[in-house]
């Protein structure tokens, strides 16, 4: 299996970047999967530069209802005329982020929600014997501090992230878990994945939303959270972690200092071969 980052906040190979995420996943059986679509059309432009065709995507997944993961949905539907897009049934509800100037709408284009190629997912969706999508993650262990700045579906209600879903792909003895931002907490997501498939993942690809969500957060609070998270992730001794996007590069370096070769960063244009 080959996983190529076509949208990410940074690029080590000089590709254009944006605050967002999109992963192009190629299975050994020839199937092509797109996990998230970034903000607009950059995922398709970067894919073309990397020799990858969005028109060849067989299945697409939107991890949650934020513009930096599903904003490219319109472009995807225009470029690709065959793939189903699996998205949570609550993804098109309003979502907001609290900025210094007030609330900013960060949701999806709601005029797309009735497109016949969209498949609305709930708690558990099994695509086939290789791929499973799950939501309804429970627990509050090591959840991102920045969540408190995110609201929806009302402007006065903190987001519960019921619209967040995750992907499991099994291939040749490997079990890969994909999470967009891990708003529900990456440890809680991994634990739910274990319950769904009956075993721990061998590889995790996830933004972990550790980048500071507010200037009020102290360095000590953040450092404590990252240290705790690193120790918990390291308990999965046979799992390799690839992180990106909302984890934050400084926060990644802190995780790397503790976890060593068990964690890597996947920037735009980079490829992981499993």
């Amino acid at each position: 299996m080959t996983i190529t980052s076509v949208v990410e906040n940074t690029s080590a190979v000089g590709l254009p970047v944006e605050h967002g995420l999109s992963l192009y996943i190629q299975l050994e059986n020839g199937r092509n999967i797109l996990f998230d679509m970034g903000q607009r059309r950059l995922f398709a432009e970067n894919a073309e530069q990397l020799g990858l065709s969005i028109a060849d995507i067989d299945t697409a997944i939107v991890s949650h209802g934020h513009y930096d993961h599903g904003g490219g949905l319109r472009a995807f539907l225009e470029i690709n005329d065959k793939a189903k897009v699996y998205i949570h049934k609550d993804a098109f509800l309003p979502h907001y982020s609290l900025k210094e100037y007030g609330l900013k709408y960060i949701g999806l284009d709601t005029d797309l929600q009735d497109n016949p190629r969209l498949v609305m997912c709930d708690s558990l969706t099994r695509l086939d014997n290789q791929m499973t999508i799950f939501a309804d993650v429970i627990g509050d262990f090591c959840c991102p501090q920045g969540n408190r700045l995110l609201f929806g579906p009302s402007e006065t209600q903190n987001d519960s992230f019921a619209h967040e879903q995750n992907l499991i792909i099994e291939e040749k003895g490997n079990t890969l878990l994909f999470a967009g931002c891990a708003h529900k907490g990456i440890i809680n997501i991994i634990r739910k994945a274990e319950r769904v498939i009956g075993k721990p993942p061998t590889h995790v690809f996830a933004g972990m939303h550790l980048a500071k969500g507010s200037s009020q957060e102290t360095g000590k609070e953040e450092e404590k959270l990252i240290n705790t998270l690193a120790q918990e992730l390291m308990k999965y001794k046979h799992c390799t972690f690839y992180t990106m996007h909302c984890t934050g590069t400084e926060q990644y370096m802190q995780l790397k200092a503790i976890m060593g070769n068990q964690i890597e960063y996947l920037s735009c244009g980079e490829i992981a071969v499993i």
Side-chain angles (χ1 to χ4, degrees):
M1 189 186 311
T2 301
I3 299 95
T4 304
S5 173
V6 292
V7 165
E8 206 273 321
N9 299 36
T10 66
S11 178
V13 298
L15 283 177
V17 301
E18 67 184 13
H19 175 78
L21 180 65
S22 183
L23 302 176
Y24 195 113
I25 306 165
Q26 297 167 286
L27 305 187
E28 289 196 14
N29 62 12
R31 295 178 64 189
N32 299 311
I33 317 299
L34 190 69
F35 184 81
D36 282 342
M37 304 164 185
Q39 293 187 26
R40 297 180 186 86
R41 301 183 69 91
L42 185 61
F43 73 96
E45 295 166 0
N46 282 347
E48 184 177 5
Q49 288 199 53
L50 293 166
L52 302 170
S53 172
I54 297 302
D56 290 339
I57 291 292
D58 302 295
T59 303
I61 295 97
V62 176
S63 65
H64 60 297
H66 288 171
Y67 76 102
D68 52 331
H69 295 257
L73 177 57
R74 187 184 304 279
F76 178 80
L77 292 170
E78 292 173 354
I79 298 168
N80 181 296
D81 62 3
K82 64 177 182 178
K84 292 182 178 179
V85 180
Y86 292 83
I87 189 167
H88 195 274
K89 62 183 179 63
D90 293 336
F92 286 99
L93 293 175
H95 303 292
Y96 306 92
S97 176
L98 182 60
K99 306 294 185 181
E100 292 181 359
Y101 54 82
L103 287 177
K104 174 185 177 182
Y105 179 77
I106 59 169
L108 305 180
D109 295 331
T110 56
D111 64 315
L112 297 175
Q113 61 187 319
D114 295 324
N115 189 290
R117 288 169 55 200
L118 301 190
V119 179
M120 298 298 175
C121 302
D122 203 336
S123 179
L124 186 68
T125 304
R126 297 195 185 275
L127 281 65
D128 52 36
N129 60 0
Q130 266 194 295
M131 296 194 294
T132 303
I133 297 171
F134 68 92
D136 290 347
V137 173
I138 59 173
D140 58 5
F141 182 76
C142 277
C143 286
Q145 296 177 353
N147 282 355
R148 68 174 183 269
L149 301 176
L150 299 171
F151 294 80
S154 78
E155 297 182 5
T156 58
Q157 176 183 351
N158 270 116
D159 200 330
S160 68
F161 302 104
H163 56 100
E164 185 176 66
Q165 58 182 17
N166 312 278
L167 171 67
I168 299 169
I169 302 179
E170 299 181 79
E171 182 179 78
K172 292 192 172 181
N174 291 313
T175 303
L176 283 72
L177 170 63
F178 295 86
C181 272
H183 287 289
K184 285 285 196 174
I186 190 59
I187 296 297
N188 304 318
I189 293 170
I190 293 172
R191 290 171 179 171
K192 176 65 180 279
E194 287 184 277
R195 293 193 293 273
V196 169
I197 59 176
K199 57 186 175 182
T202 59
H203 302 80
V204 172
F205 289 78
M208 299 183 187
H209 215 272
L210 299 176
K212 290 183 178 181
S214 169
S215 60
Q216 296 176 351
E217 294 173 14
T218 67
K220 289 185 178 180
E221 287 176 336
E222 184 180 85
E223 184 178 356
K224 181 179 179 181
L225 174 65
I226 292 173
N227 286 339
T228 301
L229 179 59
Q231 297 300 326
E232 289 295 322
L233 292 175
M234 290 173 67
K235 291 180 180 179
Y236 293 90
K237 298 182 184 297
H238 304 293
C239 184
T240 301
F241 297 88
Y242 293 84
T243 196
M244 57 212 74
H245 179 44
C246 56
T247 299
T249 52
E250 292 182 12
Q251 292 78 4
Y252 161 71
M253 293 305 298
Q254 294 176 53
L255 289 171
K256 182 73 171 176
I258 301 170
M259 298 177 64
N261 292 335
Q262 199 173 355
I263 191 167
E264 303 293 343
Y265 197 95
L266 194 69
S267 68
C268 186
E270 292 186 323
I271 301 170
V273 179
I274 308 300

